[in-house]
Amino acid sequence: MTMENKTPNISPCDELRELLPTYALGAASIEESRRVQELLPLCPEVEPELREFATIAMGLAKTTPHMSPPAGLEAKLIRAIQTPNAPAVVKPVRNFPVWQGLAVAALATLFLTNILLIWQLSNSQTQLEQLRNNQLELATVIQNPAVRLIGDNDTVQAVVYVDDSENRLWLASNSLSSLPAESTYQLWLIGDSVASVGVFGVQNGQAFIAFSPENPITDFSTLGISIEPQGGSQAPTTTPIAIGDL
Amino acid sequence: MTQPLSIEAQLMRRIRDRDESAFSELYTRYGGMVYGMCYRVLQDQTLAEEATQDSFLKVWNQAHTWDNAKGSLATWLLTISRFTAIDRLRKEKRETPNSSVDIDDMLEFLAQYADDRNNIEALKGYLAQLPKEQREAIELAFYSGFSHSDIATRLNIPIGTIKSRVRLGLLRLKSLWLGEQIEE
C-alpha cells in the first residue's frame, strides 16, 4: 500500500471559486489565470460571481483619487503621437567608457556557455552543430562595430554587432530576463520612422540572434528593444526597455 | 433609426481617425484620473508620469480595441493605466510580470451597472470598514498586482490565510456594496 498526500477533494468549480478573487483583482499568477480560463467554461454558474468581483475591482479603481499630472506631460504626449510609430520615451544614451569591455564580457560569457552546452548536449548532433555554428559566428561578429543597448540605471541590456555591408545585425545578451509565454522581445530600428528587425526570446538567461533587417540599417540612427505580445507588433506598443545609438 | 454616438464614442472615433485635438481632449478629461491611478500604484512622480504617458500612447495606438459595449471609456482607461503601472512597478523591481489577466478578458466580465453606479464614495467607506488585514491584502493584490504567494511572502503569513483574507474582504465588500448576503 502506498501512502499519498492527497489534496483535499475539491470540485473544479470550487477550485474556480477559490481562484476568482485574485483573478478579478488582476493579481493572479500566470498558472492561476490559465486555470481560471480553463475552468470558466466548465462552471457557467460561477461566472456571475466573477462578474461581481470584477465589478468591485472596478469600483475600487474608481475610488482612486485623481491627481493633477505634471506640467508638460500633455505636450510630450502630443509630440510623441506626431512622430509616426515612435516609441513613447527615448532615453538619451550617454558615453560609457567601459562599454566595450562589457560587450566583450557578455559575448565571452555566451561563448563559454556554448562550450558548456556542447559538453552537456554532446549526444545531439544537430544541437552540437548549431552551437558550433554559433561559436564561429560569435568569433566573426566580434570583429564588427558594436552598439550597446542601455536600459534602466545605465545597465547594458544587450550588445548588437552591426555589419553595414551585409546589412546584418547580431544581438547578444546575458542580461535580459525570460518573458512569460505571451510576450516576446522585439528589436527595432529607429530613425525618422520605426522598423521591426525581429522578435527574439531568452533561453537560460541568454540570447544570441542574427538578424537580416528588411530595411537598410544605415537609414536609421538608433536601435531599441521593447517587450511586445507574442509574435511581435507592427510598431512598438511599450516603452523601449533599452536603446542604443547606431 | 440609428442611435446617436455617445460623447465618449465620438471622441474615440476621432482618435481612431488620428485627430490630435481629440487626443488632447481625452487627456484633459482623463489625465488626472490616469495619473492618479499610476501614482497610487507606483508612489513616485517620475514613474507615474512615464506610466501615464505609456497608458495614453496605448490608447492612441490601440483605440480600435475599445468597445463601448464592454464598459465606459473611464473603465477602460483605468484598467489600462492600472496594469501599465503594475507592469512598470514589476520592471522597477526587476520582477517578471506574473499576471496574465488580459484587459479584454477582464472587461468581458464587467457588468454594465458598474459604470452606472454612482456610489463610489460609499464603496470607499465600505473599504475603510474592512478589518485592517483584509483591506491590506486586497490593496496589495489590487494596487501592486501581488499574487497570493507574493503577499504571503511579503507579510510572512501562510498563503491559506492570505487567500482567506482576500476572499472574505471581497465578499464583505460585495455584501455591503452590492447588497448581498455574505457567503462565509
Side-chain angles (χ1 to χ4, degrees), chain A residues 41-58:
Chain A
L42 307 176
C43 308
E45 71 275 19
V46 180
E47 196 178 308
E49 198 171 334
L50 175 57
R51 197 184 301 275
E52 287 169 346
F53 283 149
T55 303
I56 291 167
M58 191 42 62

Side-chain angles (χ1 to χ4, degrees), chain A residues 30-69:
Chain A
I30 290 169
E31 294 74 24
E32 288 171 335
S33 296
R34 283 191 187 133
R35 189 69 181 140
V36 168
Q37 284 152 13
E38 279 170 15
L39 292 174
L40 266 175
L42 307 176
C43 308
E45 71 275 19
V46 180
E47 196 178 308
E49 198 171 334
L50 175 57
R51 197 184 301 275
E52 287 169 346
F53 283 149
T55 303
I56 291 167
M58 191 42 62
L60 286 174
K62 289 184 174 178
T63 65
T64 309
H66 296 196
M67 292 175 70
S68 296

Side-chain angles (χ1 to χ4, degrees), chain B residues 110-170:
Chain B
L110 281 174
Q112 187 64 45
Y113 65 89
D115 289 324
D116 298 336
R117 194 169 282 266
N118 292 317
N119 54 351
I120 295 301
E121 283 304 313
L123 179 62
K124 208 184 289 185
Y126 297 142
L127 187 64
Q129 286 177 31
L130 290 183
K132 181 177 170 290
E133 62 275 12
Q134 290 178 10
R135 188 172 68 246
E136 179 182 46
I138 287 173
E139 288 186 342
L140 281 171
F142 186 70
Y143 287 114
S144 302
F146 288 150
S147 66
H148 285 137
S149 58
D150 293 334
I151 301 172
T153 304
R154 190 182 176 89
L155 300 181
N156 196 22
I157 288 171
I159 192 168
T161 308
I162 297 300
K163 284 183 183 179
S164 169
R165 285 179 183 177
V166 172
R167 182 171 180 79
L168 286 177
L170 281 184

